Structure formats: structure tokens, C-alpha cells
Amino acid sequence: MVVGRDKYLRLLAKQYPTMADTVTEIINLEAIMNLPKATEHFISDLHGEYDAVQHVLRNGSGNIKEKIREIFQGRLSTREMNQLAVIVYYPEEKIDFILAELESEEEIEEFFTLTTTRITELCAFVCSKYTRSKVRKALPPDYAYILEELLFKDSIMTNKEDYYDKIIGTVISLKRGKELITAFAYLIQRLVVDHLHVVGDIYDRGPYPDKIIDTLMNDQELNIQWGNHDVLWMGAASGSAACMANVIRICARYDNLEIIEDAYGISLRPLMLFSEMNYPEDNYEPFLPKIDPNGEEKIYPEEIRQIAKMNQAISVIQFKLEGEIIKRHPEFEMENRQLLSKIDFEAGTVEVDGIDYPVRCNYFPTVDPKDPFKLTEEEEIVVQRLMEGFLNSERLHKHIQFLFSKGSLYLTYNDNLLFHGCVPLNEDGSFMSMTINDKQYSGKALLDKYEDVLRKGYLNRKRPKENERYLDYIWYQWEGKASSLFGKDKMTTFERLYIENKETHIENKNIYYEERDNLDVCCKILEEFGLDPQKGHIINGHTPVKEKRGENPLKANGKLIVIDGGFSKAYQPTTGLAGYTLLYNSFGMQLVSHQPFTSVKDAIINEKDIVSTRRIVDKELKRKTVRETDVGVRLMQQVQDLQQLLKAYQEGEIVERVTKK
């Protein structure tokens, strides 16, 4: 044997010390590869909307209700099927609600008996495409024995029917029916989808991105393709003051400063005191937060005023910090974004693209017209203290490290290419290039370099002087024209805040967003990332699909699929729905469109689910097996390695290890 191969096989022999062990594992892997391909679930643009996101995760984009219909159609009424579905989604809450309406012990016992029997049957159906070993690993430890006995009971009930009935009866008599049903419900939620893909933007706009990440951290089989808002928070946690200023401004804009203070324990007191001292005038209308009129919490006028002034203060700090970055990097070609230097403070105008516009709020107490991008001493102290908060927040870094461990800028998986924004293109359709540290990159190489910069920026966060060369490029990914995450020619934050004329607010999208309906362009991109364009799809997030204006989420004859989840309430009046998710199982791909989610309370009490509509994107001619997936490729390699180990045993090159009985 080759020396390196010999060493590897001897290491493998420690795991499979006999020919019998090796043969058993080969048989096991070959059998697994003939199972149906497991279900993948794609979601995108979660934007902090925890309740809606967790509902879609709990119902598997309607997949659980579909399974219930497959089993119980004609056996249960629509109301009974809806009730069972909600029990699976919210078992503790729904069971408590039902029990409160039952009047006798007989009714309670009947409810638990029927529900346990039904949910056992549903769970067995969901588990049927997995090996017993995989299901066993997913069982909650407290009820593992009981669940396993009920799930894998004899198909012929003649000999053990009383045995299974007794298990259920004893559980109910011991007042543990709720706990058993709950264990089944969470097992169904976990197994109805095998792999979750989050195609970007967990953060910003909505109030609870931290809760979403906590939920995702409990899902073992998932990956994340970072969105522009995720990268903004990753940049802030890496030490980028410009990214941090943007994070705070956006939270102030959407009245979500609690994310920073309560969720991550970062004090905004330095900014609050600074804004009170330096922005005393009531000239802050452009900086007023967007308040949800249907929000449960009342916000007082004084609080609105305070948030607006903090927004105003951090916005000016942001423009200063960004101006300095642009000065350091002429290769960014963003000189037209240095608008603080274009203000005529006496006339109250600002020059944008050669035209003077009146500013809505001509109050810049901290801007020196001779050196507009220089922070005042007070601003430097505020930035330093805020930055210390971001760098030292334990919970924030727990979440950011999770994003790095499970995430990437793009992913190729089962012939599909997943990324949040775009692959930047020039007007002629060629890949746009960007110079990073004196070297040009484009296409796949550019995204690889961006990811490298992000990872090194976070690793070097405790060494600010060394880190500057990474942090500037991290910020560029937030609003640079060659950024795969931004995908526009400029970000007009300044114009939206200070100029009334809406023509200045326009942000022109990269030509990618026109060309992604072109089949040849999509095939070219798939080839650039090493995928077969005949098999693969591009799966995109980032841009809300304006369905009520007739926009189609399927581009280039279905070769590209836009699945912006539309969870953000800010987008729903424009899109006309709550976005799209995607399911990919052994039968093919289904695009699922959703109506807005009302509330968890409405789902529990009124059994009101998200109304979802499915359409087939790509149907397999024959049912796809694990062998035809990326997992199958890895399993096949393992089989080949084991076959070589078996041959080494048979030819005496490796001796079986005798184990004591």
C-alpha cells in the first residue's frame, strides 16, 4: 500500500476493527444511499421578525399540514386536521387551551388518547424516510424509550397491540400525556425538514434577531448565507466604527434600540448624552423613527424626540467615518458619497451630482466646514465607548461566532448555488472586478476574497491597527457598488435624510438584477461556481418580490428563484404578501408563497395558520435518492474507503483486532 493510504486505512481500522464491522458499515451506507432525498427548506430575509419566522420553521412552510392531509384526508375533518397541526406547532400552549375547555376527566382522557394515537401515526410517517439510527439520535432523552417503542411498533398488531395500548394508557394515567405529545411535536418539527438554508438577513428592521439566532442555534442541520445586514453587524462586532454607526442608525430608524441595549447589553448612554448636549434644537423631523401603529408597546413623545436626536447624532458620525474610509481608498470610486464636504452651510444647500439642493435640516453643530470628516473630541469619545460595548458584548459575540461557524457568502449544495444578493456584473454582462490590497478579483474569486476579508477582520478584532485593512473592505461590502451584498451604484442615506427631492434618493441596481432573467447569464454564473447549468438553480434573497405589481419570483424559466421571505412588515405593503420560501424534497422543488402572519395567539386560539400557496418549480422524473446528493457523494467515498479496508483485511495487509466478548 501507498504510505499515506496505509496510514489512513490503519486509522480507519480503529473504528472498524474487524471484517464483520467493515462489511456491516458498507451495507448500512449502501442502504442509506437508497433512501429518498431528505427535504431542504430555504428561507431568506428574516429581518428580526421572530414570531413569523418561528411559525414558518415550526410548520415547515406548510409541510406539516401537507403530511397531515396525506395521512388523515377522509379520516379526520378539516377542523380536526387544523387542530392537530396547531398542536404540532405549539404543543404546550394549544394543549393548555384545549384542556381549559374540557369539563370532565373522561373528555380529557379521550383527548389525550386520540391525540397521542394521531400524533404517533404522523410522526411515524415523517420518520419513515430516515434510518432508525438517525431518528434515535433526534429523540428527546426524557421520552426516548417510549417514543421509540411507539414509532417502531410491529406492523402486525396481533401479538403486541395490548402492549402499545398499555404504554399510552399508563402515560395518560400518570398525567404525562401533555409531555409525551409535546415530545412527539418537537420531533416532527425537527424531522419534517432535514436541512435548513437561511439565505441571509437575519438582522435589522424587526425587533428580535437575537431570538431568531437562539432558535437557529438549536437546529443542527443548517447553513447561512450572510446578507448585507448580517455583514453590517459582523463588521461592527469586528471593530468597524463605520459599520457600528450604521447598525445604531438603523436600529434608531426602526425604533429597535432595545436590540443593542437589552438583547446585547451595550449601553447607548454615551450617545444619548452627547445628542442631548449637541442637538438641542427641535430640528430633527427627518430622523424620526418609524413607529409601528399596530405595535403593542406605547411610545411616548419624549422618547420619540430622544430617539430622533440620537439618530441625528449617529448619522453625522457615520458620514464622517465613511468619508475618511473613502479618502483612504480611491479604488472604491465613492468620492460622490462624501457629501458633508459638498454642503454650503450659509446657503443651506448641498451639491449632488453637480446640482445644488436645499437641505431639510441645516443643522450640523459638530461639522467643521474646513475639515468636515474630522470627528470632534466628544464624538471620538462616544465612538470609542460604543465600540468597546460592541467588542465586549458576550452574547453578541456568541451570535456572531455562530454566523461565522455556520455561514458563508455563498454555498453550492446539491447542484444549487445559494447567495443573498448578486454576482456583480458590468453593463456588458462580464463579471465586475474589484481591487483589494492591490490585486483585482471578479466572479467567484471576488466573493471568496470578500469572505476571507470578513473572517480575518473578525479574527483580528483585538488588534485594531492591523485590522484596519480588513475593516474598510468589510464596510465596503455594505454599500460598495462592486459588493455582492449591496448590488447598487450608491447608497443614498444622506439624500433620504437631508434632501426632499426624491430623484436624489434613487439607487440604481446592478445590471445583474435585469440579467438574472436571462437564461444564458444564469448558466454562465452557475458555471463560474463549478455547477452544471443543466441541473442547477440559483437561489437568491435580498430583493422583495413585488407580486401585486405582477413580478414573478421565478426568473430565466425557473433557473433562478427569488425567495425573499418578506417577513419584514415594512415591505409587505409594497409586495402585497409575506414573501416566499422554497422546499426541495425527493420529488422536486416547490415554491411556497405566504400571506402575512397575524400572531401566535391567533394561531393557538383560532387555529389560524399562515395561508400558503405552492407551485412546482422543478419536478424530478424519478424520485431522487440520497445517492444523488452531496451527502451521497460523501457516503460513496466512505464506501470506497471501507472497501479498500476490507481488501486490506482479506489480503493480510492489516490484521483484524480481536475484541473481548
Side-chain angles (χ1 to χ4, degrees), residues 48 135 155 192 245 262 274 329 346 393 404-405 419 449 459 501 505 522 540 581 621 655:
V135 174
S155 56
V192 76
D262 298 342
F274 171 79
H329 293 278
E346 290 187 6
S393 169
F404 274 109
S405 68
F419 54 83
K449 187 60 181 177
L459 288 172
N501 191 320
H505 302 180
C522 290
N540 239 168
T581 56
L621 296 177
V655 179

Side-chain angles (χ1 to χ4, degrees), residues 146-252:
I146 298 173
L147 265 64
E148 189 172 355
E149 284 293 295
L150 294 175
L151 285 174
F152 300 112
K153 60 187 179 182
D154 296 338
S155 56
I156 301 173
M157 300 289 289
T158 323
N159 298 320
K160 296 176 72 175
E161 188 172 355
D162 291 341
Y163 168 74
Y164 297 121
D165 289 343
K166 190 64 177 177
I167 289 176
I168 294 173
T170 303
V171 169
I172 294 170
S173 69
L174 294 172
K175 309 296 184 185
R176 307 303 289 176
K178 175 183 172 182
E179 288 75 13
L180 180 62
I181 291 168
T182 298
F184 269 121
Y186 286 129
L187 182 61
I188 292 167
Q189 287 182 30
R190 186 167 181 176
L191 293 178
V192 76
V193 168
D194 182 64
H195 197 108
L196 177 66
H197 302 279
V198 182
V199 194
D201 275 358
I202 297 168
Y203 279 98
D204 289 336
R205 295 198 174 90
Y208 301 117
D210 58 309
K211 290 185 178 181
I212 292 175
I213 294 181
D214 283 340
T215 299
L216 295 177
M217 290 174 80
N218 294 322
D219 195 317
Q220 295 181 354
E221 297 292 335
L222 90 158
N223 54 66
I224 300 166
Q225 290 70 61
W226 307 317
N228 51 320
H229 289 272
D230 304 321
V231 163
L232 191 64
W233 280 79
M234 292 158 71
S238 300
S240 168
C243 288
M244 178 192 69
N246 274 279
V247 162
I248 297 171
R249 176 184 59 78
I250 293 170
C251 285

Side-chain angles (χ1 to χ4, degrees), residues 109-129:
E109 183 177 339
E110 182 183 8
F111 163 74
F112 277 122
T113 302
L114 281 173
T115 304
T116 304
T117 303
R118 290 167 182 172
I119 205 167
T120 301
E121 187 176 353
L122 174 63
C123 193
F125 182 63
V126 169
C127 294
S128 62
K129 67 194 303 186

Side-chain angles (χ1 to χ4, degrees), residues 521-532:
V521 170
C522 290
C523 290
K524 173 185 172 182
I525 291 172
L526 287 167
E527 288 176 342
E528 170 72 7
F529 286 82
L531 295 176
D532 183 348

Side-chain angles (χ1 to χ4, degrees), residues 75 83 163 222 226 248 333 366 424 537 562 591:
R75 295 166 54 193
Q83 184 185 86
Y163 168 74
L222 90 158
W226 307 317
I248 297 171
E333 299 178 357
T366 68
H537 300 82
V562 183
L591 185 68

Side-chain angles (χ1 to χ4, degrees), residues 286-418:
F287 303 92
L288 289 170
K290 291 186 176 182
I291 307 296
D292 181 3
N294 301 315
E296 294 181 4
E297 293 186 16
K298 184 178 180 181
I299 183 166
Y300 296 95
E302 177 59 26
E303 187 179 355
I304 293 174
R305 184 188 73 83
Q306 190 178 78
I307 293 171
K309 287 156 70 72
M310 291 170 70
N311 188 0
Q312 189 172 16
I314 199 65
S315 295
V316 173
I317 290 172
Q318 173 192 316
F319 299 137
K320 288 185 175 185
L321 293 168
E322 292 176 340
E324 290 293 344
I325 293 174
I326 294 167
K327 280 200 288 185
R328 288 195 293 267
H329 293 278
E331 74 273 20
F332 287 179
E333 299 178 357
M334 295 178 69
E335 292 78 11
N336 64 344
R337 295 292 83 213
Q338 294 178 305
L339 294 176
L340 284 181
S341 63
K342 307 287 187 181
I343 298 173
D344 184 329
F345 294 95
E346 290 187 6
T349 60
V350 61
E351 181 190 333
V352 179
D353 298 330
I355 301 174
D356 290 331
Y357 296 93
V359 293
R360 298 169 65 188
C361 174
N362 189 25
Y363 189 69
F364 299 91
T366 68
V367 177
D368 180 356
K370 296 178 182 178
D371 193 358
F373 304 113
K374 182 177 175 58
L375 294 174
T376 66
E377 187 175 339
E378 286 180 317
E379 285 174 326
E380 286 183 351
I381 293 171
V382 169
V383 169
Q384 179 186 344
R385 290 182 179 174
L386 291 172
M387 196 75 264
E388 287 172 357
F390 274 82
L391 287 172
N392 294 308
S393 169
E394 185 177 339
R395 187 161 184 251
L396 174 62
H397 286 278
K398 180 182 177 183
H399 287 172
I400 297 301
Q401 286 164 7
F402 173 74
L403 292 181
F404 274 109
S405 68
K406 292 291 187 179
S408 56
L409 269 182
Y410 70 88
L411 179 71
T412 56
Y413 193 91
N414 288 342
D415 298 318
N416 297 314
L417 173 62
L418 287 63

